[in-house]
Every structure is written in structure tokens, then in C-alpha cells.
Amino acid sequence: MKLPDKQGHFGQFGGRYVSETLMPALLELEAAYRKYKNNREFKDEFDYYLKQYVGRPNPLYFAGKLTEKLGGAKIYLKREDLNHTGAHKVNNTIGQGLLAKRMGKRRVIAETGAGQHGVATATIAALFGMECEVFMGEEDIHRQSLNVFRMKLLGATVTPVNSGTATLKDAMNEAMRNWTTYVADTFYVIGTVAGPHPYPMMVRDFQSIIGREARAQHLKAEGRLPDVLVAAVGGGSNAMGLFYPFIKDREVRMIGVEASGYGINSGKHAAPLCAGSVGVLHGNRTYLLQDNDGQISHAHSISAGLDYPGVGPEHAWLKESGRADYVPISDDEAMEGFQTLTMEEGILPALESAHAIAHVLKLAPTMGKDQSIVVCLSGRGDKDIHTVAEAMGVSL
Amino acid sequence: MSRIGDTFARLGKTGDKALITFITAGDPDLTATAGLIPRMAAAGADIIELGVPFSDPMADGPTIQKASERALAAGTTLAGILAMVKEVRSSCQVPLLLMGYYNPIYIYGVERFCRDAVAAGVDGVLVVDLPPEESAELKTVADQAGLDVIFLLTPTSDASRIKTVNRLGRGFIYYVSVTGVTGARTALADSLSASVTAIRRQVRLPLAVGFGISTPEQAAGVAVVADGVVVGSAIVKLFEEHRNRELVERVADMVRGLKDGVRSGQNN
């Protein structure tokens, strides 16, 4: 069965849990998306920007030195960090930006945690000539000052959010409130495979370029499919983009890596699939971090991009159906992943991607040399230099 | 018919309009809420909405967001609110409606919630982030338990959505006066009267209007065209500056003023 169903459900997950004011906007968006997604002109324009502007296809790089060091499965890195703006986020913002243009919206808004999605949205707003406002938690504004300045240079307004925990979830609340108020001329560019239907489906489709390329590139390099896919999961868009084109290839194992922060038992983590429970937040039913009364808990991760108490509903479905596995990686382990990839391959990964790398450090040695792993290197680490320095006790 | 339906029917006989007042349950604590309910009823509130606080109130403006934070900080839970309602019911029969977000209800357990809410004396529930498309899970159980599920209509709702809400709704329909979040506004939309009049012709249930109404004058204006007037943020704002007996008196004063406004409007 093709998922989601007509109402946007992936099994019990997903859906449209929003106020009545937004329902017509979601229905309008879904109709527009269904109209354009198979439209030749729209697809050509999307492909054109991915190729000429983003720089796709990006390489599936064989990390030979890291492979040798770990002594097990071959490790391939899908180099989303080489995209224009430095992460996978731009694949989706190009798609939503082109859709916004066709729908006649002159203003785009976005929420952002690490700032990568905010930068990617501000970038396409500059490119397509739209007004842009980005909502960002006060806490994250401090952690990611470089990206805040980048967004401002790109002409976007960055609005600090002080409510709640002043992080990504609160930025998303504020973006929803703004959309509710200015719904007539505003397009809400959601940055991950979460939120109300049709966002999880639409963002997955735009990001699935990652998996389509990786699948073809791996077939060309090895003459067969990879044994395992590994990707970090916050909301889960890079992982969903990598996994989706492989879902029917039952022999390919899919592993999503969640941020376990100070450790699952510490209670300070961002791993709803590993240690959360089912609930409803931000327009969809999914796994959440919450207390016994259904109040949403504060997430924690060294990586601002993974610091979110929910996860995309299709991941919840993949977990429940057993098609994908989800594992935790702590702040310390992610730092080790960051340093190992930097030292072995000369590639600084984003802290989000460093979680995926950290799991590969554990997994690869347990596999045979004739096997292979494709890991999504979702972004580059320049934005995280200050956080990394702080974690290492270095003052810049 | 439910206590909510009875109230509109009773008021309708004499051409009276309903004043519906909102406060966040547990702000500043549940004892205060229990004291405020009968006082608001005595001051002229025909129906009372109790906000169930949620950590992520996506459809609320700053005033009700802060009220939710205060209530949660005081340890307010859905179970606590139901226990408080049960206690209030021994001495006060004003129709009570819970308004909030789906997750606390979902986690409490939908069936258990409907059963316990009715047992406590709650008359209806309005779940802001549960549009008709997702409402079956709650509605099936609520209908059986005799708990009115109230739906929202907004300026963005088209004819087919109005039809759906008219079919599914119980008690009354809550019309949101603006495209936006909750909060007091200095001016209501010029088109409000026309929209309300048009929708009222298409629905069988009473139509109450809320969001942005804060003064007796605005309440009067809305009472000319609607069956009920909802005031929330303007009352909740009083909780930011007042406490204890002073808070109760201020709230009662405001409710009296609003009811006078509604009366002057309905007689126009």
C-alpha cells in the first residue's frame, strides 16, 4: 500500500491535527502539490535548480581510509555537505519555493533549530524574490550566531522566540501562529518530514533525490545494493530522503540514529523513537518526548538540529512496522564521530551527521569486508565549530 | 439535550444571547478556578470555558500562552481539573466546557476522558487542534458518553466545511472572528457581521463568536448578530496583575460589564 493514505496517515501516525483556520490552507497546499508533482515543467525546473544551483548530483564517496581503520564493511558517504548552503535542507526548500511561486505566495516563513533550514529558506527567498521571516528559539540564536547572521545577509528577518523552552519546538509553534495569522499570502516552508499532512509526504519526496542518487551510485560502484543505510534522525528529513527509494529493497537494512544527549537514562536526550511514546504535536501523531500528563518535554542534544522532542510520522511507522531500526548515539559519541571523520578523511561533518558517523564506528567492524554501508553526511560542520571547541574545552 | 443546548434554548426564547467566558484552569491554581466559576456564573456568564493548559499552545496568543505556563507551573493536570469540576458541581450548575489541545486528552485516554468528564459534570469539549478530519476517535466515544464536541469555523472555512461542522457539531458552533491566534484586538473585522449572519443561515446549531472580543462595546456589537459572545484573553489578562479576592472581584466586574454589553446588543 502506498503511504500516506488520503488523509495523510502512515498507519496510526501522521494526519492533520491543526486548527480549523489552517485546514483550508493545508488542503490548498495538498491540491497544488498533487497538481505539480508530476507536471513536466515543474519537475524540469526543480531538476534544473538541483543541478545548476545546488550542484547535484553530489558524490557517493568511498571513505577508504576510515574503512581500513575500522576493518569491516566498506563505508560510503553520501555527500550532502557539498550542496550549496552546506546541507541537505536546500533540496526541500527549492521544491517548496517553486511550489510557493506557483501558488502565488509572496512571503515565506520557516522555523529553524540549527539554522540550516533557516539559511536554506532565506537562500531560496533571495533567489525567487520572496519576503522571508525565520522563527528561531532564543537559545538556538545564541548557539548558532553564524547562521543567524547568514540569514540576515540573505535578507531574511530572524524573529527570536522566547516562549516555552526557546528552542526548535517553540520556533515551530510560533511559525504556526504566524501562518495562522497571515495564511492568505504566506507559504510555510517546513524543514523536516514532520508537521501536518501533506508536509511529511512532500518533504520526503523532495528529499528522496538523496536516496535515488545513492542507490544508482552504489549500484554503479559495487554492482549491487548496499547492506545498510545509516542516517541521523531529528525530525528525520535526510534519513527519510535516503531511506525512501530503498523501502522496497527488503535486503537493505535501514538504521536511523537518534541523539541520546547525556544518555537515555539521564532523561536529557532527543530520542523519541528509542525512548518516547505516541502522542500528538505540531499537526501529526508520532513518537514524542512527553510526561505522563501529555506535556511535551525539553529535548537535549549537543546538536541543535536534532534537539527536537518529536520525529516525522513516517519514521514512527517504519519503526512500528519493523522496516527500520532506530538507535541512540550520545553527545560524547557524536563528538568522537566528528573527530574521527575529520582526522581520517579530512571532512568536518555537521554534528547532526556526526551522530550517524558515530554509529558507523560501532557497526562497520561487526560487518564483513565484502559488505557496505551508505551513510548520509547530511551537512558540513563549519557551523558547529564553536560548539565543538566548547565541548573540547578550547576557547576560540 | 445537554446543559449547553438547554442554555441556548432557554436564552433563545426571550431573544437573549449567551455570554461565554474563558479562563485557564489552574491559573494561578485550581482552588482559585473553583472559586471563580460560581462567581462568573453569578455575574452573568451563561457558559464557562475552562482552558486545559498545554506546553505547546499553537493557536494561542501571548496572554493565554502565559496563563498556560502559570497553570502548568502550579502543577495543573487534566485529572486535577476534572476533580475540581466535580467539586464545583455540588453547588453550581453553569454549563462547563473544556477547551484545549488533543495531546493531554489522548494521553489521559480518550474513552477514560469522556467517561470521567461526564461523571465530573463537564458538558462539552472543544479541541483546538482536532479538525473534523481527525475527530472520529474522540467523537464516537464522546457522543455515546453524552459529551458535546464543539467545532470551530473560521473566516477561511468554505461552504463544504461549514456543512461538515453543522453535521458533526453538538451544543453550539464556535466561530473564530479573525484569521489568527487568540488575543484581545482593538478592532474587529468590518466583515464580521456579514460573515456571521451568512453562516448562521446555514447551520442548525447556535453560533457563538470569539477571538479578539474584549470590551462591552465589542460584545454588544457581536451580540446583535450571533447567538453567543466568547471572551477569553481580556479576562485572562487580569490574572497577570491580580490575585486572591481582588482577582475575583475584578473578574466578576468585567463579566458583569460584558453581560451588560451583550444585553444592550441583543436588544438592538
Side-chain angles (χ1 to χ4, degrees), chain B residues 131-218:
Chain B
E133 281 81 351
E134 302 291 349
S135 67
E137 184 175 61
L138 172 66
K139 228 191 112 53
T140 315
V141 189
D143 282 355
Q144 270 183 357
L147 186 67
D148 288 345
V149 178
I150 284 106
F151 287 95
L152 298 165
L153 284 173
T154 72
T156 60
S157 310
D158 63 12
S160 86
R161 301 193 65 78
I162 293 171
K163 219 169 141 185
T164 304
V165 164
N166 184 45
R167 182 166 49 82
L168 295 176
R170 295 277 185 278
F172 68 97
I173 293 169
Y174 187 134
Y175 183 72
V176 175
S177 70
V178 290
T179 51
V181 294
T182 56
R185 284 164 178 82
T186 47
L188 294 171
D190 296 336
S191 57
L192 183 62
S193 295
S195 314
V196 171
T197 307
I199 291 176
R200 222 169 141 210
R201 274 201 293 268
Q202 301 170 60
V203 297
R204 70 192 156 84
L205 290 169
L207 191 68
V209 177
F211 278 41
I213 301 165
S214 59
T215 65
E217 293 71 30
Q218 286 173 328

Coordinates of all heavy atoms in Angstrom, one line a residue, chain B residues 131-218:
Chain B
P131 N -9.5 19.1 14.0 CA -10.5 19.4 12.9 C -11.4 18.2 12.6 O -11.0 17.1 13.1 CB -9.6 19.8 11.7 CG -8.4 19.0 11.9 CD -8.1 18.9 13.4
P132 N -12.5 18.4 12.0 CA -13.4 17.3 11.7 C -12.7 16.1 11.1 O -13.0 15.0 11.5 CB -14.3 17.9 10.6 CG -14.3 19.4 10.9 CD -13.0 19.7 11.4
E133 N -11.7 16.3 10.3 CA -10.9 15.2 9.6 C -10.3 14.2 10.6 O -10.2 13.0 10.3 CB -9.8 15.8 8.8 CG -10.2 16.3 7.4 CD -10.7 17.7 7.5 OE1 -11.0 18.2 8.6 OE2 -10.9 18.3 6.4
E134 N -9.9 14.7 11.8 CA -9.3 13.8 12.8 C -10.2 13.5 14.0 O -9.7 13.0 15.0 CB -8.0 14.5 13.3 CG -6.9 14.8 12.2 CD -6.3 13.5 11.6 OE1 -6.5 12.4 12.1 OE2 -5.6 13.7 10.6
S135 N -11.4 13.9 13.9 CA -12.2 13.9 15.1 C -12.9 12.6 15.5 O -13.4 12.5 16.6 CB -13.3 15.0 15.0 OG -14.2 14.7 14.0
A136 N -12.9 11.7 14.6 CA -13.7 10.5 14.8 C -13.4 9.7 16.1 O -14.3 9.3 16.8 CB -13.6 9.5 13.6
E137 N -12.1 9.6 16.3 CA -11.6 8.9 17.5 C -12.3 9.4 18.8 O -12.7 8.7 19.7 CB -10.1 9.1 17.6 CG -9.4 8.3 18.7 CD -7.9 8.5 18.6 OE1 -7.4 9.6 18.6 OE2 -7.2 7.4 18.4
L138 N -12.3 10.8 18.9 CA -12.9 11.4 20.1 C -14.5 11.4 20.0 O -15.2 11.1 21.0 CB -12.4 12.8 20.3 CG -13.1 13.7 21.4 CD1 -12.8 13.1 22.8 CD2 -12.6 15.1 21.3
K139 N -15.0 11.7 18.9 CA -16.4 12.0 18.7 C -17.2 10.7 18.9 O -18.3 10.8 19.6 CB -16.7 12.6 17.3 CG -17.6 13.8 17.4 CD -18.1 14.3 16.1 CE -19.6 14.0 16.0 NZ -20.4 14.6 17.1
T140 N -16.8 9.6 18.4 CA -17.5 8.4 18.6 C -17.8 8.1 20.1 O -18.9 7.8 20.5 CB -16.7 7.2 18.0 OG1 -16.1 7.6 16.7 CG2 -17.5 6.0 17.8
V141 N -16.7 8.2 20.9 CA -16.9 8.0 22.3 C -17.6 9.1 23.0 O -18.5 8.8 23.8 CB -15.4 7.8 22.9 CG1 -15.6 7.3 24.3 CG2 -14.6 6.9 22.1
A142 N -17.3 10.3 22.6 CA -18.0 11.5 23.3 C -19.5 11.5 23.1 O -20.3 11.7 24.0 CB -17.4 12.8 22.8
D143 N -19.9 11.1 21.8 CA -21.3 11.1 21.5 C -22.0 10.1 22.4 O -23.1 10.3 22.9 CB -21.6 10.7 20.0 CG -21.3 11.9 19.1 OD1 -21.1 13.0 19.6 OD2 -21.4 11.7 17.9
Q144 N -21.4 8.9 22.6 CA -22.0 7.9 23.4 C -22.1 8.3 24.9 O -23.0 8.0 25.6 CB -21.2 6.6 23.3 CG -21.7 5.7 22.2 CD -20.9 4.4 22.1 OE1 -20.0 4.2 22.9 NE2 -21.3 3.5 21.2
A145 N -21.0 9.0 25.3 CA -21.0 9.4 26.7 C -21.9 10.6 27.0 O -22.1 10.9 28.2 CB -19.5 9.7 27.1
G146 N -22.3 11.3 25.9 CA -23.1 12.5 26.1 C -22.3 13.7 26.4 O -22.7 14.6 27.1
L147 N -21.1 13.7 25.8 CA -20.2 14.9 26.0 C -20.3 15.7 24.6 O -20.0 15.1 23.6 CB -18.8 14.4 26.3 CG -17.7 15.5 26.6 CD1 -18.0 16.2 27.9 CD2 -16.4 14.8 26.7
D148 N -20.7 16.9 24.6 CA -20.8 17.7 23.4 C -19.4 18.0 22.8 O -18.5 18.5 23.5 CB -21.5 19.0 23.6 CG -23.0 18.9 23.9 OD1 -23.5 17.8 23.6 OD2 -23.6 19.9 24.3
V149 N -19.1 17.6 21.6 CA -17.9 18.0 20.9 C -18.2 19.3 20.1 O -19.0 19.2 19.2 CB -17.3 16.9 20.0 CG1 -16.0 17.4 19.4 CG2 -17.0 15.7 20.9
I150 N -17.6 20.4 20.5 CA -17.8 21.7 19.8 C -16.7 21.9 18.7 O -15.5 21.7 19.0 CB -17.8 22.8 20.8 CG1 -19.2 22.8 21.6 CG2 -17.7 24.2 20.1 CD1 -19.1 22.3 22.9
F151 N -17.2 22.3 17.5 CA -16.2 22.5 16.5 C -16.1 24.0 16.2 O -17.0 24.8 16.5 CB -16.6 21.8 15.2 CG -16.4 20.3 15.3 CD1 -17.4 19.5 15.7 CD2 -15.1 19.8 15.0 CE1 -17.2 18.1 15.7 CE2 -14.9 18.4 15.1 CZ -15.9 17.6 15.5
L152 N -15.0 24.4 15.6 CA -14.7 25.7 15.2 C -15.0 26.0 13.7 O -14.8 25.1 12.9 CB -13.2 26.1 15.4 CG -12.6 26.0 16.8 CD1 -11.1 26.0 16.7 CD2 -13.1 27.2 17.6
L153 N -15.5 27.1 13.4 CA -15.5 27.6 12.0 C -14.7 28.9 12.0 O -14.6 29.6 13.0 CB -16.9 27.8 11.5 CG -17.7 26.6 11.1 CD1 -19.1 26.9 10.8 CD2 -17.0 25.8 9.9
T154 N -14.1 29.2 10.9 CA -13.2 30.4 10.8 C -13.5 31.2 9.5 O -14.2 30.6 8.6 CB -11.7 30.0 10.8 OG1 -11.4 29.4 9.5 CG2 -11.4 29.1 11.9
P155 N -13.0 32.4 9.3 CA -13.2 33.1 8.0 C -12.6 32.3 6.8 O -13.0 32.6 5.7 CB -12.4 34.4 8.2 CG -12.3 34.6 9.7 CD -12.2 33.2 10.3
T156 N -11.8 31.3 7.1 CA -11.2 30.6 5.9 C -12.1 29.3 5.6 O -11.8 28.6 4.6 CB -9.8 30.1 6.2 OG1 -9.8 29.3 7.4 CG2 -8.8 31.3 6.4
S157 N -13.1 29.0 6.4 CA -13.9 27.8 6.2 C -14.8 28.0 5.0 O -15.6 29.0 5.0 CB -14.8 27.5 7.4 OG -14.0 27.4 8.6
D158 N -14.8 27.1 4.0 CA -15.7 27.3 2.9 C -17.0 26.5 3.1 O -17.3 25.9 4.2 CB -15.0 26.8 1.6 CG -14.7 25.3 1.7 OD1 -15.2 24.6 2.6 OD2 -13.9 24.8 0.8
A159 N -17.9 26.6 2.1 CA -19.3 26.0 2.3 C -19.3 24.6 2.7 O -20.1 24.1 3.5 CB -20.1 26.2 1.0
S160 N -18.3 23.8 2.1 CA -18.3 22.4 2.4 C -17.9 22.1 3.8 O -18.4 21.2 4.5 CB -17.5 21.6 1.4 OG -16.1 21.6 1.8
R161 N -17.0 22.9 4.4 CA -16.6 22.7 5.7 C -17.6 23.2 6.7 O -17.8 22.6 7.8 CB -15.2 23.5 6.0 CG -14.1 23.0 5.1 CD -12.8 23.5 5.5 NE -12.4 23.0 6.8 CZ -11.9 21.7 7.0 NH1 -11.7 21.0 5.9 NH2 -11.6 21.3 8.2
I162 N -18.4 24.2 6.4 CA -19.5 24.7 7.2 C -20.5 23.5 7.3 O -21.0 23.2 8.4 CB -20.1 26.0 6.6 CG1 -19.1 27.1 6.7 CG2 -21.4 26.3 7.3 CD1 -19.5 28.4 6.0
K163 N -20.8 22.9 6.2 CA -21.7 21.8 6.1 C -21.2 20.6 7.0 O -22.0 20.0 7.8 CB -21.8 21.3 4.7 CG -23.2 20.9 4.3 CD -23.2 20.7 2.8 CE -24.1 19.5 2.4 NZ -24.1 19.2 1.0
T164 N -20.0 20.3 7.0 CA -19.4 19.2 7.8 C -19.6 19.5 9.3 O -20.0 18.7 10.1 CB -17.9 19.0 7.4 OG1 -17.8 18.8 6.1 CG2 -17.3 17.8 8.2
V165 N -19.2 20.7 9.6 CA -19.2 21.1 11.1 C -20.7 21.1 11.5 O -21.0 20.7 12.7 CB -18.5 22.5 11.3 CG1 -18.9 23.1 12.6 CG2 -17.0 22.3 11.2
N166 N -21.6 21.6 10.7 CA -23.0 21.6 11.0 C -23.5 20.2 11.3 O -24.3 20.0 12.2 CB -23.8 22.2 9.9 CG -25.3 22.4 10.2 OD1 -25.6 22.8 11.3 ND2 -26.1 22.0 9.2
R167 N -23.0 19.2 10.5 CA -23.4 17.8 10.7 C -22.8 17.2 11.9 O -23.5 16.5 12.7 CB -22.9 17.0 9.4 CG -23.3 15.6 9.4 CD -23.2 15.0 8.0 NE -21.9 15.3 7.5 CZ -20.7 14.6 7.7 NH1 -20.8 13.6 8.6 NH2 -19.6 14.9 7.1
L168 N -21.5 17.5 12.2 CA -20.8 16.8 13.3 C -21.0 17.5 14.7 O -20.9 16.8 15.7 CB -19.3 16.8 13.0 CG -18.8 15.9 11.8 CD1 -17.3 16.1 11.6 CD2 -19.2 14.5 12.0
G169 N -21.2 18.8 14.7 CA -21.2 19.6 15.9 C -22.3 19.3 16.9 O -23.4 18.8 16.5
R170 N -22.0 19.5 18.1 CA -23.0 19.4 19.2 C -22.9 20.7 20.0 O -21.9 21.3 20.2 CB -22.8 18.2 20.1 CG -22.8 16.8 19.4 CD -24.3 16.3 19.3 NE -24.3 15.0 18.8 CZ -24.3 14.7 17.5 NH1 -24.2 15.7 16.6 NH2 -24.4 13.5 17.0
G171 N -24.0 21.0 20.7 CA -24.0 22.2 21.6 C -24.1 23.5 20.9 O -25.2 24.1 20.9
F172 N -23.0 23.9 20.3 CA -23.0 25.1 19.5 C -21.8 25.1 18.6 O -21.0 24.2 18.7 CB -23.0 26.4 20.4 CG -21.7 26.7 21.2 CD1 -20.7 27.5 20.7 CD2 -21.5 26.0 22.4 CE1 -19.6 27.8 21.4 CE2 -20.3 26.3 23.1 CZ -19.4 27.1 22.7
I173 N -21.8 26.1 17.7 CA -20.6 26.2 16.8 C -19.8 27.5 17.2 O -20.4 28.5 17.5 CB -21.0 26.3 15.3 CG1 -21.6 24.9 14.9 CG2 -19.8 26.6 14.5 CD1 -22.2 25.0 13.5
Y174 N -18.5 27.3 17.3 CA -17.7 28.4 17.8 C -17.1 29.1 16.5 O -16.3 28.4 15.8 CB -16.6 27.9 18.7 CG -15.7 28.9 19.4 CD1 -15.4 28.8 20.7 CD2 -15.1 30.0 18.7 CE1 -14.6 29.7 21.4 CE2 -14.3 30.9 19.3 CZ -14.0 30.7 20.7 OH -13.2 31.6 21.3
Y175 N -17.5 30.3 16.2 CA -16.9 31.0 15.0 C -15.8 31.9 15.5 O -15.9 32.8 16.3 CB -18.0 31.8 14.3 CG -17.5 32.5 13.1 CD1 -17.2 31.8 11.9 CD2 -17.3 33.9 13.1 CE1 -16.7 32.4 10.8 CE2 -16.7 34.5 11.9 CZ -16.5 33.7 10.8 OH -16.0 34.3 9.7
V176 N -14.6 31.7 14.9 CA -13.4 32.4 15.2 C -13.5 33.7 14.3 O -13.5 33.6 13.1 CB -12.2 31.6 14.8 CG1 -10.9 32.4 15.0 CG2 -12.1 30.3 15.7
S177 N -13.5 34.8 15.0 CA -13.8 36.1 14.3 C -12.6 36.6 13.4 O -12.9 37.3 12.5 CB -14.0 37.2 15.3 OG -12.8 37.5 16.0
V178 N -11.4 36.1 13.6 CA -10.3 36.5 12.8 C -9.4 35.4 12.3 O -9.5 34.3 13.0 CB -9.4 37.4 13.6 CG1 -10.0 38.8 13.9 CG2 -9.0 36.8 14.9
T179 N -8.7 35.5 11.3 CA -7.7 34.5 10.9 C -6.5 34.9 11.8 O -5.8 35.9 11.6 CB -7.2 34.6 9.5 OG1 -6.9 35.9 9.1 CG2 -8.3 34.1 8.6
G180 N -6.3 34.1 12.9 CA -5.2 34.4 13.8 C -5.3 33.7 15.1 O -6.2 32.8 15.2
V181 N -4.5 34.0 16.0 CA -4.5 33.3 17.3 C -5.3 34.1 18.3 O -5.8 35.2 18.0 CB -3.0 33.2 17.8 CG1 -2.2 32.3 16.9 CG2 -2.3 34.5 18.0
T182 N -5.5 33.5 19.5 CA -6.3 34.2 20.5 C -5.7 35.4 21.0 O -4.4 35.6 20.9 CB -6.6 33.3 21.7 OG1 -5.3 32.9 22.2 CG2 -7.3 32.0 21.3
G183 N -6.5 36.4 21.4 CA -5.9 37.6 22.0 C -6.8 38.8 21.7 O -7.6 38.8 20.7
A184 N -6.7 39.8 22.6 CA -7.6 41.0 22.5 C -7.2 41.8 21.3 O -6.0 41.9 21.0 CB -7.5 41.8 23.8
R185 N -8.1 42.4 20.6 CA -7.8 43.2 19.5 C -8.6 44.5 19.6 O -9.8 44.5 20.1 CB -8.2 42.5 18.2 CG -7.1 41.5 17.8 CD -7.7 40.6 16.7 NE -6.7 39.6 16.3 CZ -6.4 38.4 17.0 NH1 -7.1 38.2 18.1 NH2 -5.5 37.6 16.5
T186 N -8.1 45.6 19.1 CA -8.8 46.9 19.3 C -10.0 47.0 18.4 O -11.0 47.5 18.7 CB -7.8 48.1 19.0 OG1 -7.1 47.8 17.8 CG2 -6.9 48.3 20.2
A187 N -9.9 46.4 17.2 CA -11.0 46.4 16.3 C -11.3 45.1 15.7 O -10.4 44.3 15.4 CB -10.6 47.4 15.1
L188 N -12.5 44.8 15.5 CA -12.9 43.5 14.9 C -13.1 43.8 13.4 O -13.3 44.9 13.0 CB -14.2 43.0 15.5 CG -14.1 42.6 17.0 CD1 -15.5 42.3 17.6 CD2 -13.2 41.4 17.1
A189 N -13.1 42.7 12.6 CA -13.2 42.9 11.2 C -14.5 43.5 10.8 O -15.6 43.2 11.3 CB -13.0 41.6 10.5
D190 N -14.5 44.4 9.8 CA -15.8 45.1 9.3 C -16.7 44.0 8.8 O -17.9 44.2 8.8 CB -15.4 46.1 8.2 CG -14.6 47.2 8.7 OD1 -14.6 47.5 10.0 OD2 -13.8 47.8 7.9
S191 N -16.1 43.0 8.2 CA -17.0 42.0 7.5 C -17.6 41.0 8.5 O -18.3 40.1 8.1 CB -16.1 41.2 6.5 OG -15.0 40.6 7.2
L192 N -17.3 41.1 9.8 CA -17.7 40.1 10.8 C -19.2 39.9 10.8 O -19.7 38.8 10.7 CB -17.2 40.5 12.2 CG -17.5 39.5 13.3 CD1 -16.8 38.1 13.0 CD2 -17.1 40.0 14.6
S193 N -20.0 41.0 10.9 CA -21.4 40.9 10.9 C -22.0 40.1 9.7 O -22.8 39.2 9.9 CB -22.1 42.2 11.0 OG -21.7 42.9 12.2
A194 N -21.5 40.5 8.6 CA -22.0 39.8 7.3 C -21.6 38.3 7.4 O -22.5 37.5 7.0 CB -21.4 40.5 6.1
S195 N -20.4 38.0 7.8 CA -20.0 36.6 7.8 C -20.8 35.8 8.8 O -21.3 34.7 8.4 CB -18.5 36.4 8.2 OG -17.7 37.4 7.6
V196 N -21.0 36.3 10.0 CA -21.8 35.6 11.0 C -23.2 35.4 10.5 O -23.8 34.3 10.7 CB -21.7 36.4 12.3 CG1 -22.7 35.8 13.3 CG2 -20.3 36.4 12.9
T197 N -23.8 36.5 10.0 CA -25.2 36.4 9.5 C -25.3 35.3 8.4 O -26.2 34.5 8.4 CB -25.6 37.7 8.9 OG1 -25.4 38.7 10.0 CG2 -27.1 37.7 8.6
A198 N -24.3 35.3 7.5 CA -24.3 34.3 6.4 C -24.2 32.9 6.9 O -25.0 32.0 6.5 CB -23.2 34.6 5.4
I199 N -23.3 32.6 7.9 CA -23.1 31.3 8.4 C -24.3 30.8 9.2 O -24.7 29.7 9.1 CB -21.8 31.2 9.2 CG1 -20.6 31.4 8.3 CG2 -21.7 29.9 10.0 CD1 -19.2 31.4 9.0
R200 N -24.8 31.8 10.0 CA -26.0 31.4 10.9 C -27.1 30.9 10.1 O -27.9 30.0 10.5 CB -26.4 32.7 11.6 CG -26.7 32.4 13.1 CD -26.8 33.6 13.9 NE -27.9 33.5 14.8 CZ -28.6 34.5 15.2 NH1 -28.4 35.7 14.7 NH2 -29.6 34.3 16.1
R201 N -27.3 31.4 8.8 CA -28.3 30.9 8.0 C -28.1 29.4 7.5 O -29.0 28.7 7.2 CB -28.5 31.7 6.7 CG -29.4 33.0 7.0 CD -29.9 33.5 5.7 NE -28.8 34.1 4.8 CZ -28.5 35.4 4.9 NH1 -29.1 36.2 5.6 NH2 -27.5 35.8 4.1
Q202 N -26.8 29.0 7.6 CA -26.5 27.6 7.0 C -26.4 26.6 8.1 O -26.2 25.4 7.8 CB -25.2 27.7 6.3 CG -25.1 28.7 5.1 CD -23.7 28.8 4.6 OE1 -23.1 27.9 4.2 NE2 -23.2 30.1 4.6
V203 N -26.5 26.9 9.4 CA -26.3 25.9 10.4 C -27.5 25.8 11.3 O -28.3 26.8 11.5 CB -25.1 26.2 11.3 CG1 -23.8 26.1 10.4 CG2 -25.1 27.6 11.9
R204 N -27.7 24.6 11.9 CA -28.8 24.3 12.8 C -28.5 24.7 14.2 O -29.4 24.9 15.1 CB -29.2 22.8 12.7 CG -28.2 21.9 13.3 CD -28.4 20.5 12.9 NE -27.0 19.8 13.1 CZ -26.5 19.4 14.3 NH1 -27.2 19.5 15.4 NH2 -25.3 18.9 14.3
L205 N -27.2 24.7 14.6 CA -26.8 24.9 16.0 C -26.6 26.4 16.2 O -26.4 27.2 15.3 CB -25.4 24.2 16.2 CG -25.4 22.7 16.3 CD1 -24.0 22.2 16.3 CD2 -26.2 22.2 17.5
P206 N -26.7 26.8 17.5 CA -26.4 28.2 17.9 C -24.9 28.5 17.5 O -24.1 27.7 17.5 CB -26.5 28.2 19.4 CG -27.3 27.0 19.7 CD -27.1 26.0 18.7
L207 N -24.7 29.8 17.1 CA -23.4 30.2 16.7 C -22.8 31.2 17.7 O -23.4 32.3 17.9 CB -23.5 30.8 15.3 CG -22.2 31.1 14.5 CD1 -21.5 29.8 14.2 CD2 -22.4 31.9 13.3
A208 N -21.7 30.9 18.3 CA -21.1 31.9 19.2 C -19.8 32.4 18.5 O -19.2 31.6 17.8 CB -20.7 31.2 20.5
V209 N -19.5 33.6 18.8 CA -18.3 34.2 18.2 C -17.3 34.6 19.2 O -17.6 35.2 20.2 CB -18.7 35.5 17.4 CG1 -17.5 36.2 16.8 CG2 -19.7 35.2 16.3
G210 N -16.0 34.2 18.9 CA -14.9 34.5 19.8 C -13.7 34.9 19.1 O -13.6 35.0 17.9
F211 N -12.6 35.2 19.9 CA -11.3 35.7 19.5 C -11.3 37.2 19.3 O -12.0 37.7 18.4 CB -10.8 35.0 18.1 CG -10.2 33.6 18.3 CD1 -10.8 32.7 19.1 CD2 -9.0 33.3 17.6 CE1 -10.2 31.4 19.3 CE2 -8.5 32.0 17.7 CZ -9.1 31.1 18.5
G212 N -10.6 37.9 20.1 CA -10.4 39.3 19.9 C -11.5 40.2 20.5 O -11.4 41.4 20.5
I213 N -12.5 39.6 21.2 CA -13.5 40.4 21.8 C -13.1 40.7 23.2 O -12.9 39.8 24.0 CB -14.9 39.7 21.8 CG1 -15.3 39.4 20.3 CG2 -16.0 40.5 22.4 CD1 -16.4 38.4 20.2
S214 N -13.0 42.0 23.6 CA -12.5 42.3 24.9 C -13.4 43.4 25.7 O -13.3 43.4 26.9 CB -11.1 42.8 24.8 OG -11.0 44.0 24.0
T215 N -14.2 44.2 25.0 CA -14.9 45.2 25.7 C -16.4 45.0 25.6 O -16.9 44.3 24.7 CB -14.6 46.6 25.0 OG1 -15.1 46.6 23.7 CG2 -13.1 46.9 24.9
P216 N -17.2 45.6 26.5 CA -18.6 45.5 26.4 C -19.2 46.1 25.1 O -20.2 45.5 24.6 CB -19.1 46.5 27.6 CG -18.0 46.4 28.6 CD -16.7 46.3 27.7
E217 N -18.5 47.1 24.5 CA -19.0 47.6 23.3 C -18.8 46.6 22.1 O -19.7 46.4 21.3 CB -18.2 48.9 22.9 CG -18.4 50.1 23.8 CD -17.8 49.9 25.2 OE1 -16.8 49.2 25.3 OE2 -18.4 50.4 26.2
Q218 N -17.7 45.9 22.1 CA -17.5 44.9 21.1 C -18.5 43.7 21.3 O -19.0 43.2 20.4 CB -16.0 44.3 21.2 CG -15.0 45.3 20.6 CD -13.6 44.8 20.9 OE1 -13.3 44.1 21.9 NE2 -12.7 45.1 20.0

